Amino acid sequence: MDPDLTISKITGIGKYYEYQLRKLNINTVEDLIYHFPFRYDDFSQIKTIENIQTGEVASIQGVIWQIKNVRTRSGKFVTVATVADQSGTVEIIWFNQPYLTQTLKPGMQISLSGKIQFDGFRPKLISPSYEILKSAVSQSRSDLVQGLTLHTGRLVPIYPETEGVSSKWLRAKIAKILPDYLKNTEDFVPKQTLDRQKLANLTNALNYIHFPKSQDEIEKAKKRLAFDELFLIQLASQLRKMNWQKTKIAPEMKVDKEKFTKFTKMLPFKLTDAQKRAIDELLSDLKKETPANRLLEGDVGSGKTVVAAAAIFVAHLNGYASLVAAPTEILAFQHQETLAKTLSAHGINVGIWTASKKQKGDVTIGTHALLNNFKPEKTTALVVVDEQHRFGVAQRGQLFINQSGKLTPHLLTMTATPIPRTLALTLYGDLDLSILDEMPKGRQKIATFVVPNAKRNKAYKFIEEQVKGGRQAFIITPFVEPSETMTSVKAAVQEFEKLKTKFAKSVKLGLLHGKLKSKGKEAAIKKFRKGAIDILVATPVVEVGIDVPNATIMMIESAERFGLAQLHQLRGRVGRGKHKSYCFLFTNSNSPNSLKRLRSMEKINIGFELAEIDLKMRGSGEIFGLRQSGFINLKVADLADRKAVSEAQNEAKELLSFDSSLKNFPLLSQKLNKLQPEYIQPN
Ligand code: ADP
Ligand code: MG
């Protein structure tokens, strides 16, 4: 069976299921095989009827003696059956499933799993899972089912589901397809690696993850499949690094100490220690002929621009041009303004290259899209890519490498996403990392409070008072889904209507969500900025990328559903002016863990520390919505597991050290290309 076969080509899976399965990211046969259970019901305890005990979860097997539907007084259906084995009989009850009598008939051999309950007289099975045993039943009960049942009498896998696609359905399909799939699948991980790491082979791992016979098999499967994910990420990033360094030569620059000291003296502020460190790291990159590929991470406002400016200055002294790529036109103009402030005094002409304005300079700022076709007048020695909040695109900078003819420019990517160092090293093993983990002095701290439901009205009152005092507020509506769908827009509109009743008539509310036309969005933001709106109600996914110094309150609903790093970034929208600012985190959750996590927002105002906490408490998939981003699709591995990460890293190194092109491992090479074609640099 072709692993890439479209799923609807399988007998019994038509267009309807193709459509539904797409919601689970299942498009091909292989996607279905790699749709893993997130837990298992332990129905492995098979008992004779005389031995079942109230309160336990157990499975029994026997013959249906009788089965009938009974109507209750309230008009509902109850299906009552009696099942017998050699040791006795037991009554089975199902509610509201009258159609069961169409499938289950007296005389049939059946397997049942569920919780045994006591009805006051004797144990009963209420709403158990069932399955008909098609095979003939022998006299000895013990060899009856092991290996034959799918939904009962074993460790039963429970999968992520969607409309029309139940775990029972998935189980049946996977059981049918898996043997065929495995017949044509060879293990892509080298044998020596598997042996050294004591890992199960792929066939076993896939069998175990779906249909384990024991807890031990589940563990073995997870260990192997997690290894695969980490191993592939590591191989990809190490290959990228090797290709980047092997074939490319960058301009080798000199740093004139005297001139550079003058540059720092002329800045309107003193550099933070973190900025000094980052600048040192970047300048020593520029002195080498290996092209730098550095990621600069720092919260919004941590002062990344001046780090870039320092490198642009040095490139200029060496007779080279630089390029700065911004995600939007507005940000391009903003960068031009800020950089001009620092660089013009040194005779550096700061140009702009966007849809509306084109003017080349010694350094030119442009949007990502347009810079691709930009032809500089001098050799470009440095490319700075400002990614803002976007994630997983740190490689995009490499798109700009062809612009300088023979020489490859040094590359600096800047991001405001606080990816913890451990995580960054895994994902971006090929990048060097500089972190601004320190804010310039004098920034005000935003007073942050987790607000329980009981104090909700008090918080509204407080907001109203602030508004009466001339301030403004953001209210972020409940997080419904990770992307902007009609559901979350509807929730936002409902919340908006509700909020109108909470505040005095004089308080002016505005609504901003992603389904508004861009004109409507602009209008709302403009009004808010002008002060014509007091409270801007916005959906969580709206990038509130606006600077409104008069806004002093950020209120977030269903805060527990956000990553801490995301909350921190939302919070960064206030506290930009001279007024004291506040962040209110509303939650309906009573879970101690959830509250503890949120409370860390009250104490900590450094993005990296918050991201680390999330990494420990929720695992890597949850932070930054990584799991949904499609950038990495980790189903089993946890990037917070440092031991597993470093083992995979070492194995990747080991393998590449004696076969850097993987020519002896074509299956592995194929797998890499298939998973992340953009991972491997075309040369
Ligand atoms: P970001 O990291 O978000 O890109 P910016 O580089 O735009 O941050 O800097 C934010 C603001 O802080 C700018 O106005 C900048 O001039 C200022 N700034 C940067 N570094 C310092 C510093 N060391 N001391 C005081 N202000 C600084
Ligand atoms: Mg910036």
Side-chain angles (χ1 to χ4, degrees):
M1 184 183 292
D2 176 6
D4 295 327
L5 191 68
T6 307
I7 197 71
S8 57
K9 297 276 163 22
I10 300 289
T11 326
I13 306 181
K15 284 286 162 194
Y16 168 77
Y17 284 109
E18 179 183 273
Y19 177 77
Q20 297 298 346
L21 287 168
R22 202 174 298 146
K23 296 181 192 161
L24 295 169
N25 280 327
I26 299 171
N27 298 301
T28 65
V29 166
E30 187 155 271
D31 293 340
L32 181 63
I33 300 301
Y34 275 80
H35 189 64
F36 297 145
F38 63 94
R39 68 176 177 85
Y40 302 82
D41 274 337
D42 188 351
F43 293 152
S44 58
Q45 214 193 144
I46 301 173
K47 290 215 157 180
T48 53
I49 289 172
E50 68 178 350
N51 284 326
I52 58 174
Q53 273 169 30
T54 303
E56 72 183 0
V57 173
S59 304
I60 58 159
Q61 266 123 29
V63 180
I64 300 175
W65 267 17
Q66 53 166 334
I67 182 162
K68 59 172 189 281
N69 287 323
V70 180
R71 238 188 145 106
T72 64
R73 243 179 264 159
S74 57
K76 290 189 175 142
F77 278 107
V78 176
T79 308
V80 184
T82 309
V83 169
D85 69 5
Q86 288 150 328
S87 74
T89 64
V90 65
E91 193 162 277
I92 322 288
I93 308 263
W94 286 281
F95 300 103
N96 295 320
Q97 300 181 58
Y99 51 84
L100 279 179
T101 52
Q102 309 283 316
T103 10
L104 301 179
K105 303 281 186 193
M108 273 181 174
Q109 302 282 344
I110 189 175
S111 174
L112 296 152
S113 292
K115 193 159 181 180
I116 316 292
Q117 300 188 20
F118 195 64
D119 73 347
F121 297 99
R122 43 182 296 193
K124 267 187 185 168
L125 259 173
I126 315 284
S127 305
S129 301
Y130 67 90
E131 91 188 276
I132 300 161
L133 301 172
K134 295 225 170 71
S135 69
V137 178
S138 75
Q139 292 318 99
S140 103
R141 246 192 27 82
S142 59
D143 62 24
L144 181 68
V145 266
Q146 280 292 332
L148 289 179
T149 56
L150 210 49
H151 314 292
T152 58
R154 59 176 305 143
L155 284 161
V156 176
I158 311 294
Y159 297 92
E161 302 174 348
T162 189
E163 196 190 326
V165 180
S166 64
S167 283
K168 191 166 185 174
W169 188 92
L170 286 161
R171 237 173 265 142
K173 295 296 174 215
I174 292 171
K176 207 168 131 218
I177 297 170
L178 187 58
D180 251 2
Y181 173 86
L182 290 175
K183 229 180 277 160
N184 293 307
T185 305
E186 274 180 77
D187 207 324
F188 56 87
V189 175
K191 178 91 172 48
Q192 306 96 297
T193 311
L194 293 179
D195 289 348
R196 221 180 356 246
Q197 294 294 325
K198 301 194 174 60
L199 293 168
N201 67 41
L202 189 59
T203 299
N204 283 343
L206 288 172
N207 270 321
Y208 294 169
I209 197 86
H210 290 293
F211 305 111
K213 292 205 182 70
S214 64
Q215 214 61 44
D216 184 51
E217 287 192 350
I218 298 174
E219 292 315 311
K220 284 202 173 103
K222 283 187 177 163
K223 192 171 172 218
R224 161 67 207 253
L225 297 166
F227 178 84
D228 286 359
E229 292 175 347
L230 296 172
F231 187 54
L232 290 170
I233 291 183
Q234 289 298 336
L235 279 173
S237 78
Q238 288 179 34
L239 278 169
R240 257 188 340 246
K241 183 163 195 165
M242 283 163 56
N243 287 337
W244 176 251
Q245 294 188 337
K246 189 173 63 193
T247 50
K248 312 279 193 309
I249 295 180
E252 208 178 322
M253 297 186 232
K254 292 205 169 55
V255 179
D256 184 326
K257 268 213 175 115
E258 212 170 294
K259 286 191 176 140
F260 192 75
T261 311
K262 201 174 146 209
F263 171 84
T264 48
K265 289 233 168 86
M266 280 172 72
L267 290 172
F269 45 74
K270 247 186 91 199
L271 291 169
T272 63
D273 287 343
Q275 283 171 322
K276 282 185 202 156
R277 232 178 4 250
I279 290 174
D280 276 352
E281 288 161 350
L282 186 55
L283 295 193
S284 52
D285 289 346
L286 301 186
K287 293 184 204 162
K288 295 178 195 148
E289 64 162 24
T290 313
N293 196 357
R294 184 168 292 280
L295 179 65
L296 175 63
E297 287 188 59
D299 275 0
V300 172
S302 60
K304 295 183 288 293
T305 320
V306 72
V307 176
I312 293 167
F313 174 71
V314 168
H316 178 75
L317 289 184
N318 283 270
Y320 294 114
S322 300
L323 285 179
V324 179
T328 64
E329 179 153 355
I330 294 174
L331 282 164
F333 279 103
Q334 201 172 299
H335 270 313
Q336 188 198 20
E337 200 176 307
T338 341
L339 285 170
K341 267 189 215 150
T342 321
L343 296 171
S344 300
H346 302 278
I348 301 175
N349 176 15
V350 183
I352 185 98
W353 204 259
T354 69
S356 63
K357 195 171 173 195
K358 293 188 175 63
Q359 192 176 55
K360 291 185 185 179
D362 302 313
V363 51
T364 305
I365 330 295
T367 46
H368 288 162
L370 285 179
L371 278 186
N372 245 334
N373 304 315
F374 180 80
K375 296 273 174 295
E377 273 155 12
K378 280 192 277 183
T379 302
T380 302
L382 174 70
V383 172
V384 179
V385 182
D386 189 3
E387 287 293 356
Q388 289 293 96
H389 300 297
R390 274 184 295 165
F391 187 75
V393 270
Q395 278 72 40
R396 181 145 4 138
Q398 299 184 3
L399 291 175
F400 302 106
I401 59 178
N402 296 324
Q403 284 161 337
S404 300
K406 294 205 174 57
L407 291 177
T408 300
H410 297 283
L411 183 59
L412 175 69
T413 308
M414 306 197 291
T415 175
T417 306
I419 312 158
R421 186 176 282 273
T422 45
L423 188 56
L425 289 178
T426 311
L427 294 178
Y428 302 131
D430 56 326
L431 304 187
D432 295 308
L433 193 62
S434 294
I435 292 185
L436 300 183
D437 52 4
E438 183 188 356
M439 285 301 235
K441 286 208 178 58
R443 294 283 154 82
Q444 62 158 301
K445 199 165 169 270
I446 297 151
T448 301
F449 303 96
V450 178
V451 184
N453 245 334
K455 293 205 176 145
R456 179 175 281 271
N457 285 327
K458 230 173 135 187
Y460 289 138
K461 267 261 132 43
F462 183 84
I463 296 176
E464 196 169 305
E465 274 160 29
Q466 285 271 314
V467 167
K468 283 186 179 150
R471 306 284 81 76
Q472 288 167 284
F474 293 96
I475 295 184
I476 305 297
T477 60
F479 196 131
V480 182
E481 286 170 54
S483 63
E484 191 93 325
T485 61
M486 282 327 283
T487 321
S488 42
V489 170
K490 220 169 108 194
V493 173
Q494 265 171 15
E495 184 69 15
F496 181 66
E497 294 302 324
K498 192 192 96 190
L499 283 167
K500 278 190 190 162
T501 67
K502 296 276 176 193
F503 295 104
K505 279 248 160 53
S506 60
V507 176
K508 294 176 294 286
L509 274 75
L511 177 62
L512 181 64
H513 60 72
K515 286 278 190 286
L516 287 177
K517 298 250 158 60
S518 63
K519 267 211 177 120
K521 275 188 223 168
E522 259 170 50
I525 291 173
K526 233 187 199 153
K527 272 185 168 169
F528 189 54
R529 201 185 270 145
K530 272 197 334 213
I533 290 174
D534 299 312
I535 300 176
L536 187 64
V537 180
T539 48
V541 286
V542 163
E543 167 120 19
V544 202
I546 43 171
D547 207 356
V548 183
N550 192 46
T552 56
I553 294 175
M554 170 59 68
M555 198 200 104
I556 302 167
E557 285 284 355
S558 312
E560 76 281 359
R561 300 201 195 163
F562 290 85
L564 294 180
Q566 284 170 297
L567 289 176
H568 179 67
Q569 285 186 346
L570 282 170
R571 173 168 69 178
R573 293 287 137 215
V574 297
R576 301 184 150 226
K578 53 184 187 296
H579 304 287
K580 170 117 191 87
S581 294
Y582 305 85
C583 174
F584 296 135
L585 304 172
F586 280 30
T587 177
N588 291 321
S589 169
N590 292 319
S591 130
N593 251 346
S594 192
L595 288 174
K596 188 174 155 211
R597 205 172 68 83
L598 286 180
R599 291 246 152 76
S600 51
M601 291 289 296
E602 294 178 344
K603 288 171 245 143
I604 299 170
N605 63 351
I606 297 169
F608 289 99
E609 287 183 26
L610 293 167
E612 282 282 359
I613 291 174
D614 255 3
L615 188 58
K616 289 205 189 91
M617 291 187 74
R618 305 212 302 178
S620 53
E622 303 306 322
I623 34 176
F624 323 119
L626 256 181
R627 234 180 253 288
Q628 291 95 25
S629 73
F631 166 61
I632 45 164
N633 199 358
L634 292 182
K635 294 174 173 163
V636 194
D638 182 0
L639 295 174
D641 183 347
R642 292 182 194 195
K643 186 156 170 276
V645 168
S646 82
E647 271 167 6
Q649 195 164 23
N650 291 338
E651 288 296 346
K653 256 190 206 137
E654 171 80 24
L655 188 65
L656 292 175
S657 72
F658 70 88
D659 185 359
S660 62
S661 60
L662 295 180
K663 65 175 180 299
N664 297 307
F665 304 97
L667 286 174
L668 188 54
S669 195
Q670 244 172 40
K671 187 91 185 166
L672 270 172
N673 279 313
K674 197 165 136 186
L675 286 183
Q676 298 281 338
E678 70 276 20
Y679 260 7
I680 318 284
Q681 276 299 298
N683 278 292

